[in-house]
Amino acid sequence: MRINTIGATYLLIGVILAAFVAVLVGVVWTTSASAQIVQGAAALLQPVVALVVLTAIVGLMMVVYRNVALIRGAASARYFRTFTADNPAEWVERPARTYMNLLELPILFYIVCLLMLTTGRFDPLQVSLAWIFVMTRYVHAFIYIGFNHVPLRFTAFLTGVITLAVIWTRFAEQNLNWHLS
């Protein structure tokens, strides 16, 4: 019975992801490759700043959760010295794991945004995709810290990965065409 529930959950996730990918592909295909370049860096800097803000909020939550755990006796200072013994409750470490997640995959986002800003080669669709990626990171963080439902967390993560792959693919394609023309 449990296997059927898990299978149904992942089937639902697959359907949601397939619908997302279909919409994403449709948006990319219907947007002209020669779309007007966004005037000014502010449009692309806004999602970058929003992701930095999320990282700062989660970093602060990590500090607060860990200190509350120390004060309540739910974690020991020894654990935080070596991270090898006296594991605290899961709720204590969720913000720390989320913070680490925000320092992993988003690095590729920051790099592509920096490259787009440096070359000036981005369009309104790239900005929209950047916002979608940032929103997936907010959703992922909320799920992970809040209630940690793995199928939903995985859906948010995979949606972000797909979005980031599309951003990078479009950036590479735009710059390859730019150098060949």
Side-chain angles (χ1 to χ4, degrees):
M1 175 109 164
R2 175 128 170 93
I3 292 173
N4 289 339
T5 303
I6 292 171
T9 300
Y10 279 100
L11 178 62
L12 178 61
I13 289 169
V15 169
I16 292 169
L17 285 173
F20 169 77
V21 169
V23 169
L24 195 60
V25 167
V27 168
V28 170
W29 277 351
T30 58
T31 301
S32 169
S34 61
Q36 194 75 312
I37 300 298
V38 175
Q39 297 299 316
L44 189 57
L45 283 174
Q46 289 171 349
V48 171
V49 170
L51 190 54
V52 170
V53 167
L54 174 63
T55 305
I57 290 168
V58 171
L60 181 62
M61 288 178 73
M62 175 183 66
V63 170
V64 169
Y65 276 48
R66 285 180 169 182
N67 282 292
V68 166
L70 282 171
I71 292 166
R72 288 184 176 174
S76 70
R78 179 176 159 210
Y79 170 76
F80 293 114
R81 264 187 241 112
T82 63
F83 294 101
T84 57
D86 303 327
N87 290 340
E90 181 192 10
W91 68 267
V92 176
E93 285 303 290
R94 278 190 203 165
R97 290 185 202 122
T98 305
Y99 183 73
M100 291 309 299
N101 285 333
L102 289 168
L103 299 178
E104 293 169 350
L105 183 64
I107 293 299
L108 295 173
F109 173 75
Y110 293 130
I111 290 170
V112 76
C113 287
L114 181 62
L115 290 170
M116 287 189 289
L117 288 166
T118 301
T119 62
R121 307 282 302 166
F122 61 96
D123 57 24
L125 180 57
Q126 288 292 70
V127 174
S128 296
L129 290 169
W131 274 114
I132 291 170
F133 176 76
V134 170
M135 290 301 107
T136 67
R137 300 314 301 165
Y138 270 83
V139 169
H140 182 269
F142 174 78
I143 292 168
Y144 202 173
I145 294 170
F147 54 94
N148 199 22
H149 185 65
V150 174
L152 285 178
R153 194 177 91 208
F154 176 71
T155 302
F157 172 78
L158 193 55
T159 302
V161 168
I162 292 167
T163 304
L164 188 58
V166 171
I167 293 170
W168 269 102
T169 301
R170 290 192 81 249
F171 175 75
E173 188 272 331
Q174 287 172 340
N175 282 280
L176 180 61
N177 286 342
W178 181 64
H179 288 297
L180 294 177
S181 52

